[in-house]
Amino acid sequence: MPGPVKRRLTVHQKLLLAAAVFLMVADTLCLAQSPAIDLGEASLEELMNVQVYSASKHIQNASDAPSSVTVISADEIQKHGFRTLADILGAVRGFYLGYDRSYRFAGVRGFGPPGDFNTRVLLLVDGHRINDNIYDQAMLGTEFPVDVDVIDRVEVVRGPSSSLYGSNAFFGVINVITKRAREIDGWEFSFEPASFETYKGRATYGGTTKGVEMLFSGTFYNSAGQNLYFPEFDTPLTNDGIARKLDYDRYHDTLFKLGYRGFTLQGVENWRNKGLPTASYGTEFNDFRARNADQHQFLDLSYSSTLHNSWQMTARTYYDRYAYDGIWPYSAAQTNIDYARGQRWGGELQFRHRLLRKHDLSVGSELRYNLQQDQKNYDTNSAALYVDDHRTTRMGASFVQDEFSISSQLKLNIGIRFDLYQRYGASTNPRAGLIYQPWGKTTFKLLYGTAFRSPNVYEAYYGTGSGGNSGFSLNPDLRPETMRSIEAMC
């Protein structure tokens, strides 16, 4: 009996078949990967119309954003029981978290090198840069300076965003949007006991008086932590490898926001003290003195207004302070102190205007002056000083972005930013996105962008000239890290 006749497809037929399969699969993926707010209750239409700010520095639908965006709302945070920003990010596609019993670390899209302090992710609170000016570290765990209960939403923008934000916006931008006073409307109190002698308390007030919106929130947290066993130290001289009550974690933070007629004054203060049970850097095991202490404060004053001919203006000025102390005991008589202090002042100015009905134009500039970038490492019981570095640096930048509506279904987003650093010179980073919506519930995006990350002072100047007793060598000749990205998504 003759078998079936085999026919070969022409190249044209193969392309048509591949296109059909791609469209069916892409349409399914688009439905599955739409940005999420309250996934259990939101309709598909609501998901497609999620509003985001961080992708373009203005409010737009997530489907129109020139990047892959995920939004986590306050409802989701509450329903899933997330207690830290790291918990939130652990539920975001493309992120994975690590923990060394001191800080939380995030890997993005498979990239998370050991020893990196989250320097390739830009962390913002209401648009304010949180990465410090010593390590460029993005604090994600209990070290993050804002209580999750006062978060309205978290916007996660994947991919390079240096065309808008400059350095550190390498693999993504995380913008934590806090609640407004009207969303609190009165007093809130909470107290949470938990395992390992853990307790947390919070008091929050939100209200409006004589046109002034006021929000105040304060949180305290204390945990004795777990008793941990380390087989590497399982000897009678080192307590049989058991670190008792050394995994403690204590912090307090304060947030206030005042709003009046376009002005917003915001302040954040955070202090955290974390025990080190792991005998980091060869320190004495099971020594209660080992700990890291971090402080972060900032004041941010912003103003938004609509000017003549519908130009929208946003201006911001701010001051940040960061402090770190690492206490590392090497013996009963020898304790090493690792020390960092940072201060910075900056300002931003942005204008936005719609031109000829098809162009949404944004232009802006930024100045940042690092008033203090100090690092020290020394022993308390001797005159040994291993690191002693003091610096001040500055930078400036300008950007332009245009969102061109070619048709009702096709949009082109193009932008470019020019950064000038006192030490590392200039960096220019473009971004382009072609966004196509052939059907109401499906969006295709073709994205291109570049990004850079300038070396921080810890990477370049922590150490001694010959390596010496500090164990670190100076790296003053480091140059900015760069990347180029091409992405197709729906």
PDB file of all heavy atoms in Angstrom, residues 82-112:
ATOM      1  N   PHE A  82       3.674  40.197  51.902  1.00  0.00           N
ATOM      2  CA  PHE A  82       5.049  40.664  51.729  1.00  0.00           C
ATOM      3  C   PHE A  82       5.413  41.618  52.862  1.00  0.00           C
ATOM      4  O   PHE A  82       4.673  42.561  53.140  1.00  0.00           O
ATOM      5  CB  PHE A  82       5.207  41.377  50.385  1.00  0.00           C
ATOM      6  CG  PHE A  82       4.933  40.515  49.190  1.00  0.00           C
ATOM      7  CD1 PHE A  82       4.212  41.012  48.109  1.00  0.00           C
ATOM      8  CD2 PHE A  82       5.396  39.217  49.131  1.00  0.00           C
ATOM      9  CE1 PHE A  82       3.958  40.228  46.993  1.00  0.00           C
ATOM     10  CE2 PHE A  82       5.151  38.416  48.019  1.00  0.00           C
ATOM     11  CZ  PHE A  82       4.431  38.924  46.955  1.00  0.00           C
ATOM     12  N   ARG A  83       6.582  41.410  53.488  1.00  0.00           N
ATOM     13  CA  ARG A  83       6.987  42.259  54.607  1.00  0.00           C
ATOM     14  C   ARG A  83       8.201  43.121  54.296  1.00  0.00           C
ATOM     15  O   ARG A  83       8.545  44.004  55.097  1.00  0.00           O
ATOM     16  CB  ARG A  83       7.287  41.407  55.848  1.00  0.00           C
ATOM     17  CG  ARG A  83       6.157  40.502  56.289  1.00  0.00           C
ATOM     18  CD  ARG A  83       4.789  41.198  56.301  1.00  0.00           C
ATOM     19  NE  ARG A  83       4.745  42.377  57.123  1.00  0.00           N
ATOM     20  CZ  ARG A  83       4.000  43.445  56.813  1.00  0.00           C
ATOM     21  NH1 ARG A  83       3.302  43.476  55.696  1.00  0.00           N
ATOM     22  NH2 ARG A  83       3.994  44.485  57.606  1.00  0.00           N
ATOM     23  N   THR A  84       8.875  42.874  53.193  1.00  0.00           N
ATOM     24  CA  THR A  84      10.003  43.706  52.783  1.00  0.00           C
ATOM     25  C   THR A  84       9.935  43.920  51.273  1.00  0.00           C
ATOM     26  O   THR A  84       9.230  43.191  50.565  1.00  0.00           O
ATOM     27  CB  THR A  84      11.361  43.068  53.134  1.00  0.00           C
ATOM     28  OG1 THR A  84      11.530  41.869  52.364  1.00  0.00           O
ATOM     29  CG2 THR A  84      11.449  42.737  54.612  1.00  0.00           C
ATOM     30  N   LEU A  85      10.697  44.887  50.801  1.00  0.00           N
ATOM     31  CA  LEU A  85      10.778  45.102  49.359  1.00  0.00           C
ATOM     32  C   LEU A  85      11.383  43.875  48.677  1.00  0.00           C
ATOM     33  O   LEU A  85      10.986  43.525  47.556  1.00  0.00           O
ATOM     34  CB  LEU A  85      11.620  46.347  49.064  1.00  0.00           C
ATOM     35  CG  LEU A  85      11.836  46.689  47.592  1.00  0.00           C
ATOM     36  CD1 LEU A  85      10.511  46.918  46.877  1.00  0.00           C
ATOM     37  CD2 LEU A  85      12.732  47.913  47.452  1.00  0.00           C
ATOM     38  N   ALA A  86      12.316  43.191  49.346  1.00  0.00           N
ATOM     39  CA  ALA A  86      12.898  41.976  48.768  1.00  0.00           C
ATOM     40  C   ALA A  86      11.828  40.912  48.564  1.00  0.00           C
ATOM     41  O   ALA A  86      11.842  40.190  47.558  1.00  0.00           O
ATOM     42  CB  ALA A  86      14.012  41.453  49.668  1.00  0.00           C
ATOM     43  N   ASP A  87      10.891  40.778  49.507  1.00  0.00           N
ATOM     44  CA  ASP A  87       9.785  39.831  49.338  1.00  0.00           C
ATOM     45  C   ASP A  87       8.971  40.162  48.093  1.00  0.00           C
ATOM     46  O   ASP A  87       8.571  39.274  47.334  1.00  0.00           O
ATOM     47  CB  ASP A  87       8.858  39.860  50.561  1.00  0.00           C
ATOM     48  CG  ASP A  87       9.515  39.304  51.808  1.00  0.00           C
ATOM     49  OD1 ASP A  87      10.522  38.584  51.672  1.00  0.00           O
ATOM     50  OD2 ASP A  87       9.028  39.599  52.907  1.00  0.00           O
ATOM     51  N   ILE A  88       8.725  41.447  47.886  1.00  0.00           N
ATOM     52  CA  ILE A  88       7.949  41.891  46.716  1.00  0.00           C
ATOM     53  C   ILE A  88       8.675  41.528  45.428  1.00  0.00           C
ATOM     54  O   ILE A  88       8.089  40.958  44.500  1.00  0.00           O
ATOM     55  CB  ILE A  88       7.689  43.407  46.794  1.00  0.00           C
ATOM     56  CG1 ILE A  88       6.829  43.744  48.023  1.00  0.00           C
ATOM     57  CG2 ILE A  88       7.010  43.914  45.524  1.00  0.00           C
ATOM     58  CD1 ILE A  88       6.711  45.228  48.298  1.00  0.00           C
ATOM     59  N   LEU A  89       9.962  41.842  45.369  1.00  0.00           N
ATOM     60  CA  LEU A  89      10.731  41.576  44.149  1.00  0.00           C
ATOM     61  C   LEU A  89      10.876  40.087  43.882  1.00  0.00           C
ATOM     62  O   LEU A  89      11.009  39.672  42.725  1.00  0.00           O
ATOM     63  CB  LEU A  89      12.106  42.233  44.250  1.00  0.00           C
ATOM     64  CG  LEU A  89      12.113  43.760  44.324  1.00  0.00           C
ATOM     65  CD1 LEU A  89      13.530  44.276  44.522  1.00  0.00           C
ATOM     66  CD2 LEU A  89      11.488  44.372  43.079  1.00  0.00           C
ATOM     67  N   GLY A  90      10.846  39.276  44.938  1.00  0.00           N
ATOM     68  CA  GLY A  90      10.935  37.843  44.749  1.00  0.00           C
ATOM     69  C   GLY A  90       9.772  37.263  43.975  1.00  0.00           C
ATOM     70  O   GLY A  90       9.872  36.154  43.435  1.00  0.00           O
ATOM     71  N   ALA A  91       8.658  38.005  43.903  1.00  0.00           N
ATOM     72  CA  ALA A  91       7.483  37.560  43.151  1.00  0.00           C
ATOM     73  C   ALA A  91       7.424  38.169  41.752  1.00  0.00           C
ATOM     74  O   ALA A  91       6.461  37.945  41.026  1.00  0.00           O
ATOM     75  CB  ALA A  91       6.206  37.924  43.913  1.00  0.00           C
ATOM     76  N   VAL A  92       8.443  38.933  41.365  1.00  0.00           N
ATOM     77  CA  VAL A  92       8.466  39.605  40.068  1.00  0.00           C
ATOM     78  C   VAL A  92       9.230  38.755  39.060  1.00  0.00           C
ATOM     79  O   VAL A  92      10.324  38.252  39.344  1.00  0.00           O
ATOM     80  CB  VAL A  92       9.120  41.001  40.192  1.00  0.00           C
ATOM     81  CG1 VAL A  92       9.293  41.643  38.816  1.00  0.00           C
ATOM     82  CG2 VAL A  92       8.280  41.902  41.081  1.00  0.00           C
ATOM     83  N   ARG A  93       8.650  38.594  37.890  1.00  0.00           N
ATOM     84  CA  ARG A  93       9.280  37.818  36.825  1.00  0.00           C
ATOM     85  C   ARG A  93      10.662  38.376  36.479  1.00  0.00           C
ATOM     86  O   ARG A  93      10.833  39.567  36.271  1.00  0.00           O
ATOM     87  CB  ARG A  93       8.374  37.849  35.586  1.00  0.00           C
ATOM     88  CG  ARG A  93       8.932  37.204  34.339  1.00  0.00           C
ATOM     89  CD  ARG A  93       7.848  37.120  33.266  1.00  0.00           C
ATOM     90  NE  ARG A  93       7.151  38.369  33.082  1.00  0.00           N
ATOM     91  CZ  ARG A  93       7.543  39.330  32.249  1.00  0.00           C
ATOM     92  NH1 ARG A  93       8.642  39.182  31.541  1.00  0.00           N
ATOM     93  NH2 ARG A  93       6.827  40.431  32.118  1.00  0.00           N
ATOM     94  N   GLY A  94      11.669  37.485  36.426  1.00  0.00           N
ATOM     95  CA  GLY A  94      13.018  37.897  36.046  1.00  0.00           C
ATOM     96  C   GLY A  94      13.909  38.287  37.207  1.00  0.00           C
ATOM     97  O   GLY A  94      15.092  38.556  37.003  1.00  0.00           O
ATOM     98  N   PHE A  95      13.374  38.321  38.451  1.00  0.00           N
ATOM     99  CA  PHE A  95      14.172  38.671  39.623  1.00  0.00           C
ATOM    100  C   PHE A  95      14.376  37.432  40.494  1.00  0.00           C
ATOM    101  O   PHE A  95      13.486  36.592  40.631  1.00  0.00           O
ATOM    102  CB  PHE A  95      13.471  39.747  40.455  1.00  0.00           C
ATOM    103  CG  PHE A  95      13.697  41.149  39.970  1.00  0.00           C
ATOM    104  CD1 PHE A  95      13.084  41.589  38.809  1.00  0.00           C
ATOM    105  CD2 PHE A  95      14.520  42.022  40.659  1.00  0.00           C
ATOM    106  CE1 PHE A  95      13.286  42.880  38.348  1.00  0.00           C
ATOM    107  CE2 PHE A  95      14.718  43.306  40.209  1.00  0.00           C
ATOM    108  CZ  PHE A  95      14.109  43.738  39.046  1.00  0.00           C
ATOM    109  N   TYR A  96      15.558  37.313  41.096  1.00  0.00           N
ATOM    110  CA  TYR A  96      15.793  36.294  42.110  1.00  0.00           C
ATOM    111  C   TYR A  96      16.649  36.920  43.206  1.00  0.00           C
ATOM    112  O   TYR A  96      17.469  37.808  42.962  1.00  0.00           O
ATOM    113  CB  TYR A  96      16.459  35.049  41.520  1.00  0.00           C
ATOM    114  CG  TYR A  96      17.794  35.285  40.871  1.00  0.00           C
ATOM    115  CD1 TYR A  96      18.981  35.100  41.578  1.00  0.00           C
ATOM    116  CD2 TYR A  96      17.880  35.695  39.544  1.00  0.00           C
ATOM    117  CE1 TYR A  96      20.204  35.313  40.991  1.00  0.00           C
ATOM    118  CE2 TYR A  96      19.111  35.911  38.938  1.00  0.00           C
ATOM    119  CZ  TYR A  96      20.268  35.718  39.668  1.00  0.00           C
ATOM    120  OH  TYR A  96      21.478  35.938  39.079  1.00  0.00           O
ATOM    121  N   LEU A  97      16.420  36.468  44.452  1.00  0.00           N
ATOM    122  CA  LEU A  97      17.002  37.123  45.614  1.00  0.00           C
ATOM    123  C   LEU A  97      17.988  36.224  46.339  1.00  0.00           C
ATOM    124  O   LEU A  97      17.822  35.002  46.393  1.00  0.00           O
ATOM    125  CB  LEU A  97      15.910  37.554  46.598  1.00  0.00           C
ATOM    126  CG  LEU A  97      15.133  38.857  46.295  1.00  0.00           C
ATOM    127  CD1 LEU A  97      16.071  40.045  46.289  1.00  0.00           C
ATOM    128  CD2 LEU A  97      14.354  38.758  44.993  1.00  0.00           C
ATOM    129  N   GLY A  98      19.027  36.847  46.908  1.00  0.00           N
ATOM    130  CA  GLY A  98      19.982  36.160  47.755  1.00  0.00           C
ATOM    131  C   GLY A  98      20.114  36.878  49.087  1.00  0.00           C
ATOM    132  O   GLY A  98      19.722  38.052  49.225  1.00  0.00           O
ATOM    133  N   TYR A  99      20.688  36.178  50.076  1.00  0.00           N
ATOM    134  CA  TYR A  99      20.799  36.749  51.421  1.00  0.00           C
ATOM    135  C   TYR A  99      22.047  36.186  52.084  1.00  0.00           C
ATOM    136  O   TYR A  99      22.256  34.971  52.100  1.00  0.00           O
ATOM    137  CB  TYR A  99      19.548  36.402  52.229  1.00  0.00           C
ATOM    138  CG  TYR A  99      19.494  36.965  53.628  1.00  0.00           C
ATOM    139  CD1 TYR A  99      19.855  38.278  53.885  1.00  0.00           C
ATOM    140  CD2 TYR A  99      19.062  36.178  54.698  1.00  0.00           C
ATOM    141  CE1 TYR A  99      19.786  38.799  55.164  1.00  0.00           C
ATOM    142  CE2 TYR A  99      18.985  36.685  55.985  1.00  0.00           C
ATOM    143  CZ  TYR A  99      19.350  38.004  56.210  1.00  0.00           C
ATOM    144  OH  TYR A  99      19.284  38.519  57.483  1.00  0.00           O
ATOM    145  N   ASP A 100      22.884  37.070  52.640  1.00  0.00           N
ATOM    146  CA  ASP A 100      24.112  36.628  53.305  1.00  0.00           C
ATOM    147  C   ASP A 100      24.060  36.876  54.809  1.00  0.00           C
ATOM    148  O   ASP A 100      25.083  36.998  55.461  1.00  0.00           O
ATOM    149  CB  ASP A 100      25.327  37.319  52.691  1.00  0.00           C
ATOM    150  CG  ASP A 100      25.332  38.824  52.940  1.00  0.00           C
ATOM    151  OD1 ASP A 100      24.319  39.360  53.457  1.00  0.00           O
ATOM    152  OD2 ASP A 100      26.347  39.480  52.617  1.00  0.00           O
ATOM    153  N   ARG A 101      22.857  36.960  55.376  1.00  0.00           N
ATOM    154  CA  ARG A 101      22.613  37.248  56.788  1.00  0.00           C
ATOM    155  C   ARG A 101      23.014  38.668  57.166  1.00  0.00           C
ATOM    156  O   ARG A 101      23.156  38.978  58.341  1.00  0.00           O
ATOM    157  CB  ARG A 101      23.349  36.241  57.695  1.00  0.00           C
ATOM    158  CG  ARG A 101      22.870  34.819  57.539  1.00  0.00           C
ATOM    159  CD  ARG A 101      21.489  34.640  58.131  1.00  0.00           C
ATOM    160  NE  ARG A 101      20.903  33.343  57.796  1.00  0.00           N
ATOM    161  CZ  ARG A 101      19.705  32.946  58.191  1.00  0.00           C
ATOM    162  NH1 ARG A 101      18.978  33.755  58.939  1.00  0.00           N
ATOM    163  NH2 ARG A 101      19.235  31.773  57.833  1.00  0.00           N
ATOM    164  N   SER A 102      23.165  39.519  56.146  1.00  0.00           N
ATOM    165  CA  SER A 102      23.435  40.926  56.400  1.00  0.00           C
ATOM    166  C   SER A 102      22.568  41.805  55.501  1.00  0.00           C
ATOM    167  O   SER A 102      21.834  42.663  55.989  1.00  0.00           O
ATOM    168  CB  SER A 102      24.911  41.246  56.187  1.00  0.00           C
ATOM    169  OG  SER A 102      25.186  42.583  56.509  1.00  0.00           O
ATOM    170  N   TYR A 103      22.648  41.575  54.168  1.00  0.00           N
ATOM    171  CA  TYR A 103      21.867  42.343  53.203  1.00  0.00           C
ATOM    172  C   TYR A 103      21.194  41.407  52.209  1.00  0.00           C
ATOM    173  O   TYR A 103      21.620  40.265  52.017  1.00  0.00           O
ATOM    174  CB  TYR A 103      22.756  43.330  52.438  1.00  0.00           C
ATOM    175  CG  TYR A 103      23.492  44.326  53.304  1.00  0.00           C
ATOM    176  CD1 TYR A 103      24.841  44.150  53.605  1.00  0.00           C
ATOM    177  CD2 TYR A 103      22.830  45.434  53.825  1.00  0.00           C
ATOM    178  CE1 TYR A 103      25.518  45.061  54.400  1.00  0.00           C
ATOM    179  CE2 TYR A 103      23.502  46.349  54.620  1.00  0.00           C
ATOM    180  CZ  TYR A 103      24.842  46.156  54.911  1.00  0.00           C
ATOM    181  OH  TYR A 103      25.515  47.042  55.700  1.00  0.00           O
ATOM    182  N   ARG A 104      20.153  41.918  51.570  1.00  0.00           N
ATOM    183  CA  ARG A 104      19.484  41.203  50.489  1.00  0.00           C
ATOM    184  C   ARG A 104      20.067  41.651  49.155  1.00  0.00           C
ATOM    185  O   ARG A 104      20.330  42.846  48.950  1.00  0.00           O
ATOM    186  CB  ARG A 104      17.978  41.481  50.509  1.00  0.00           C
ATOM    187  CG  ARG A 104      17.271  40.953  51.737  1.00  0.00           C
ATOM    188  CD  ARG A 104      17.059  39.466  51.661  1.00  0.00           C
ATOM    189  NE  ARG A 104      16.328  38.967  52.825  1.00  0.00           N
ATOM    190  CZ  ARG A 104      15.962  37.709  52.995  1.00  0.00           C
ATOM    191  NH1 ARG A 104      16.251  36.812  52.059  1.00  0.00           N
ATOM    192  NH2 ARG A 104      15.317  37.327  54.079  1.00  0.00           N
ATOM    193  N   PHE A 105      20.221  40.693  48.239  1.00  0.00           N
ATOM    194  CA  PHE A 105      20.804  40.974  46.934  1.00  0.00           C
ATOM    195  C   PHE A 105      19.873  40.461  45.844  1.00  0.00           C
ATOM    196  O   PHE A 105      19.277  39.392  45.977  1.00  0.00           O
ATOM    197  CB  PHE A 105      22.173  40.318  46.800  1.00  0.00           C
ATOM    198  CG  PHE A 105      23.135  40.736  47.866  1.00  0.00           C
ATOM    199  CD1 PHE A 105      23.324  39.957  49.003  1.00  0.00           C
ATOM    200  CD2 PHE A 105      23.839  41.918  47.749  1.00  0.00           C
ATOM    201  CE1 PHE A 105      24.202  40.344  49.999  1.00  0.00           C
ATOM    202  CE2 PHE A 105      24.712  42.319  48.739  1.00  0.00           C
ATOM    203  CZ  PHE A 105      24.897  41.534  49.868  1.00  0.00           C
ATOM    204  N   ALA A 106      19.758  41.237  44.763  1.00  0.00           N
ATOM    205  CA  ALA A 106      18.855  40.887  43.664  1.00  0.00           C
ATOM    206  C   ALA A 106      19.642  40.574  42.409  1.00  0.00           C
ATOM    207  O   ALA A 106      20.545  41.327  42.021  1.00  0.00           O
ATOM    208  CB  ALA A 106      17.879  42.033  43.390  1.00  0.00           C
ATOM    209  N   GLY A 107      19.290  39.463  41.782  1.00  0.00           N
ATOM    210  CA  GLY A 107      19.761  39.160  40.440  1.00  0.00           C
ATOM    211  C   GLY A 107      18.647  39.463  39.457  1.00  0.00           C
ATOM    212  O   GLY A 107      17.463  39.299  39.777  1.00  0.00           O
ATOM    213  N   VAL A 108      19.011  39.943  38.289  1.00  0.00           N
ATOM    214  CA  VAL A 108      18.019  40.350  37.293  1.00  0.00           C
ATOM    215  C   VAL A 108      18.319  39.630  35.980  1.00  0.00           C
ATOM    216  O   VAL A 108      19.435  39.704  35.467  1.00  0.00           O
ATOM    217  CB  VAL A 108      18.034  41.874  37.064  1.00  0.00           C
ATOM    218  CG1 VAL A 108      16.917  42.272  36.102  1.00  0.00           C
ATOM    219  CG2 VAL A 108      17.882  42.612  38.383  1.00  0.00           C
ATOM    220  N   ARG A 109      17.305  38.906  35.476  1.00  0.00           N
ATOM    221  CA  ARG A 109      17.428  38.212  34.204  1.00  0.00           C
ATOM    222  C   ARG A 109      18.681  37.343  34.131  1.00  0.00           C
ATOM    223  O   ARG A 109      19.414  37.328  33.150  1.00  0.00           O
ATOM    224  CB  ARG A 109      17.392  39.219  33.054  1.00  0.00           C
ATOM    225  CG  ARG A 109      16.032  39.878  32.877  1.00  0.00           C
ATOM    226  CD  ARG A 109      15.989  40.843  31.716  1.00  0.00           C
ATOM    227  NE  ARG A 109      14.617  41.230  31.407  1.00  0.00           N
ATOM    228  CZ  ARG A 109      14.279  42.071  30.440  1.00  0.00           C
ATOM    229  NH1 ARG A 109      15.221  42.613  29.683  1.00  0.00           N
ATOM    230  NH2 ARG A 109      13.014  42.367  30.211  1.00  0.00           N
ATOM    231  N   GLY A 110      18.954  36.649  35.229  1.00  0.00           N
ATOM    232  CA  GLY A 110      20.060  35.705  35.254  1.00  0.00           C
ATOM    233  C   GLY A 110      21.407  36.287  35.596  1.00  0.00           C
ATOM    234  O   GLY A 110      22.400  35.562  35.628  1.00  0.00           O
ATOM    235  N   PHE A 111      21.482  37.581  35.895  1.00  0.00           N
ATOM    236  CA  PHE A 111      22.771  38.216  36.178  1.00  0.00           C
ATOM    237  C   PHE A 111      22.769  38.718  37.612  1.00  0.00           C
ATOM    238  O   PHE A 111      21.968  39.577  37.971  1.00  0.00           O
ATOM    239  CB  PHE A 111      23.031  39.379  35.215  1.00  0.00           C
ATOM    240  CG  PHE A 111      24.432  39.909  35.264  1.00  0.00           C
ATOM    241  CD1 PHE A 111      25.401  39.419  34.408  1.00  0.00           C
ATOM    242  CD2 PHE A 111      24.788  40.889  36.178  1.00  0.00           C
ATOM    243  CE1 PHE A 111      26.704  39.893  34.457  1.00  0.00           C
ATOM    244  CE2 PHE A 111      26.086  41.367  36.238  1.00  0.00           C
ATOM    245  CZ  PHE A 111      27.045  40.877  35.373  1.00  0.00           C
ATOM    246  N   GLY A 112      23.661  38.186  38.437  1.00  0.00           N
ATOM    247  CA  GLY A 112      23.794  38.623  39.817  1.00  0.00           C
ATOM    248  C   GLY A 112      25.130  38.200  40.372  1.00  0.00           C
ATOM    249  O   GLY A 112      25.216  37.231  41.117  1.00  0.00           O
TER     250      GLY A 112
END
